[in-house]
Amino acid sequence: MVILVISDIHANLVALEAVLADAGTVDEIWSLGDIVGYGPKPRECLDLVRSLNPTISVVGNHDYAAIGRISLADFNPIARSASQWTATQLDLDHVQYLEGLPLKQTSGDVTIVHGSPRFPIWEYVYNARVAAKNFSAFDSELCFLGHTHVSMYVTEREALDAGEGHHPDASEALAFEPNRYIVNPGSVGQPRDGDPRAAYALYDPSNKRISFRRVTYNVEVTQAQMREVGLPDPLVSRIARGM
Ligand code: ZN
């Protein structure tokens, strides 16, 4: 059993296609939100994700922003302008799909949210300190979340002991010990850990193993697509730096 866990695609179709090719055949796909926002191909990414029929698909703050469900006042000017452009690109069926996505889903002994179990849309679980406040907000053994665009995992024991979270290397595998975990697979379309490669995870519930993966994609193609539709320059340059 292999589950492909993807988050923060951010309308980067080239990165999403690279991840799907690199992951190979999988049994399920779980999407942790922010399919759109920042990137040049929101329609195509939504169409592709929907065609993959993900078992889990939760909503992210940029998904809500693109359909007017949250105020753009909380976005910085660059994110706001990208979100306004994204909104002009969506058809009614894209809007309806995003509107129908839940804030939180569970599968077996796993909880899935975009931001955090406490605040699924807004809270960033950047570190073990924030994670420590969230273990009481879900019941399952494992919680997958995204939103920070940085791969991380932390156990409940470490978090409550004021320990650090782990930032896994590419191809690092996490084998579960008896404990509870919060795990972030990183971002497909806009990584922010200084590594521009697309990030994702493969989860095997039968042996409780998570593999953190990175795959190179053609950043220049995405950048050209962004310039073509007039997205702000800082968004174009940051994806080449993984920031
Ligand atoms: Zn995001």
Side-chain angles (χ1 to χ4, degrees):
M1 175 83 174
V2 183
I3 299 167
L4 169 61
V5 186
I6 48 177
S7 190
D8 296 278
I9 297 163
H10 282 291
N12 188 337
L13 183 65
V14 184
L16 176 58
E17 288 175 339
V19 164
L20 295 174
D22 191 62
T25 305
V26 295
D27 299 294
E28 290 187 22
I29 294 178
W30 294 0
S31 167
L32 313 187
D34 278 5
I35 298 170
V36 303
Y38 293 131
K41 297 287 177 188
R43 302 167 55 87
E44 293 80 355
C45 285
L46 277 169
D47 290 340
L48 180 50
V49 169
R50 283 192 303 174
S51 75
L52 297 168
N53 199 19
T55 315
I56 302 277
S57 188
V58 296
V59 73
N61 54 317
H62 283 263
D63 302 320
Y64 264 174
I67 58 170
R69 286 280 293 267
I70 55 174
S71 166
L72 291 178
D74 294 321
F75 278 36
N76 67 52
I78 288 169
R80 191 182 311 144
S81 122
S83 188
Q84 284 162 339
W85 174 80
T86 300
T88 67
Q89 300 301 303
L90 303 182
D91 292 336
L92 183 59
D93 63 319
H94 298 126
V95 173
Q96 285 170 339
Y97 177 75
L98 293 175
E99 271 175 348
L101 295 180
L103 292 166
K104 191 183 285 192
Q105 274 189 280
T106 54
S107 174
D109 203 23
V110 187
T111 300
I112 298 100
V113 293
H114 179 65
S116 80
R118 290 195 305 177
F119 307 113
I121 285 292
W122 285 117
E123 187 172 42
Y124 291 90
V125 182
Y126 275 123
N127 51 39
R129 191 175 48 78
V130 185
K133 298 184 174 132
N134 272 284
F135 277 100
S136 60
F138 67 100
D139 298 325
S140 56
E141 183 177 25
L142 171 63
C143 173
F144 275 112
L145 49 74
H147 196 37
T148 65
H149 298 204
V150 175
S151 320
M152 187 183 82
Y153 66 90
V154 61
T155 69
E156 182 172 32
R157 202 175 304 136
E158 289 165 332
L160 296 180
D161 290 348
E164 293 296 314
H166 304 268
H167 295 290
D169 295 330
S171 302
E172 182 170 336
L174 164 63
F176 275 48
E177 290 159 20
N179 208 324
R180 297 175 70 223
Y181 287 81
I182 287 177
V183 177
N184 187 328
S187 168
V188 171
Q190 197 200 71
R192 293 179 188 163
D193 58 357
D195 181 346
R197 294 177 298 168
Y200 69 98
L202 295 173
Y203 169 49
D204 184 346
S206 59
N207 63 11
K208 300 206 168 183
R209 238 178 122 78
I210 298 171
S211 302
F212 294 92
R213 307 280 291 258
R214 301 303 282 254
V215 59
T216 302
Y217 72 96
N218 197 328
V219 176
E220 290 84 4
V221 172
T222 298
Q223 289 181 309
Q225 292 168 346
M226 293 173 83
R227 289 194 193 95
E228 203 173 303
V229 298
L231 285 163
D233 282 337
L235 294 180
V236 179
S237 58
R238 76 185 295 183
I239 59 167
R241 290 178 283 119
M243 293 304 290

